[in-house]
Amino acid sequence: AGGGGPTELATFDGVSGNIFNPDGVAAIDFRVESNGLTHALFVDGGSNYVAIGSADQNNTGLLNLNAVSGSTVSTLTCRSATDAHTNIFTMQKTPATSGNYTATASGDVLGDIRFMGVNTSAVADIGAQIVVEQTGTASGTVPAQMSFITNEATAMTIDANGNVGIGDVPSGNLTAGYALRLDGGAQTYIAFNNNTHTTQATGGFVIGNDSGAARITQRESQHVLFEVGGSEVLTLEVNKNVTIEDGDL
């Protein structure tokens, strides 16, 4: 190529391997057609992306798997009788653009899974998201937290210590050493229901707090039992009597 000569479409040798479009000409794309797909494999030479199924590039993707009038299915299959052999999907980040890896740091986003649709303004938008962010540095591990996001707000976070925060981060002065933190805003409740008592507003057992008080509420016509070691030590009866072991209070 060059000097007004013909463009070299491919080279085949034992040193560089087999290269299509060795001159990197933007106008040259590469396409493999199958019996049912015109773009079973497609490489866009000008926009620098790969597509499978059609020529479309979505959300600036480097690799695009596309299906029309069907589901896009990606499958990992492991055929092995060895227990340790499995399917592994890895996301890895390093600041180094080439050569040996260099350490990531607190604040680096290590992975981001997005579940997207199209809003009423005809714009692709995120419906839910799972984000992993590094929260510290260490010589033998990479401390990180995992956040689950819905409606563009963090719904749940699991920190590097395995603590869980629902509605808020699990760490902080008020929750030091706690494994689970719940924050529902003005009021936060946990409702326990079963197949018989399924309505949170009128049934079930509720624990929580609001601006007025911390509350433990039994909304059913049932006793509240406190057990230690498998034995009842305290009963709050429906008739409002309190029983401690075998005596009434």
Side-chain angles (χ1 to χ4, degrees):
T7 299
E8 190 173 21
L9 294 179
T11 60
F12 304 90
D13 62 59
V15 179
S16 301
N18 302 330
I19 303 173
F20 180 83
N21 192 16
D23 295 326
V25 179
I28 297 179
D29 299 330
F30 175 78
R31 178 170 64 90
V32 175
E33 187 169 339
S34 68
N35 182 55
L37 295 171
T38 59
H39 295 75
L41 174 65
F42 177 74
V43 179
D44 191 296
S47 298
N48 304 312
Y49 70 85
V50 177
I52 296 175
S54 75
D56 298 328
Q57 182 187 35
N58 299 298
N59 301 301
T60 67
L62 179 61
L63 175 62
N64 303 267
L65 277 65
N66 306 309
V68 179
S69 299
S71 299
T72 302
V73 180
S74 301
T75 303
L76 303 177
T77 301
C78 175
R79 294 177 179 265
S80 175
T82 302
D83 291 346
H85 294 170
T86 186
N87 299 300
I88 299 175
F89 182 81
T90 301
M91 296 183 181
Q92 184 167 348
K93 181 179 182 178
T94 178
T97 56
S98 63
N100 295 331
Y101 294 152
T102 56
T104 47
S106 181
D108 276 334
V109 176
L110 305 182
D112 185 340
I113 302 175
R114 302 182 180 189
F115 304 87
M116 301 185 66
V118 179
N119 60 31
T120 56
S121 299
V123 177
D125 211 345
I126 300 173
Q129 194 172 3
I130 302 173
V131 177
V132 175
E133 179 181 339
Q134 188 166 331
T135 56
T137 57
S139 60
T141 62
V142 178
Q145 69 179 21
M146 177 178 289
S147 298
F148 296 82
I149 301 168
T150 58
N151 200 26
E152 300 184 0
T154 300
M156 182 174 74
T157 299
I158 305 173
D159 70 14
N161 296 317
N163 300 320
V164 179
I166 298 177
D168 205 342
V169 294
S171 59
N173 295 332
L174 298 178
T175 56
Y178 289 24
L180 174 64
R181 178 182 182 181
L182 306 178
D183 189 342
Q187 58 182 18
T188 302
Y189 290 100
I190 302 176
F192 299 87
N193 302 103
N194 55 35
N195 292 337
T196 303
H197 311 122
T198 58
T199 305
Q200 179 179 340
T202 59
F205 179 70
V206 180
I207 300 174
N209 66 349
D210 53 33
S211 58
R215 305 177 189 275
I216 300 176
T217 306
Q218 171 60 288
R219 288 174 169 158
E220 303 295 336
S221 296
Q222 295 175 318
H223 301 322
V224 177
L225 308 178
F226 295 83
E227 297 186 356
V228 176
S231 300
E232 297 177 15
V233 296
L234 176 67
T235 301
L236 305 180
E237 299 177 356
V238 175
N239 58 13
K240 300 182 181 180
N241 291 332
V242 178
T243 301
I244 299 178
E245 294 183 347
D246 295 329
D248 293 337
L249 180 64

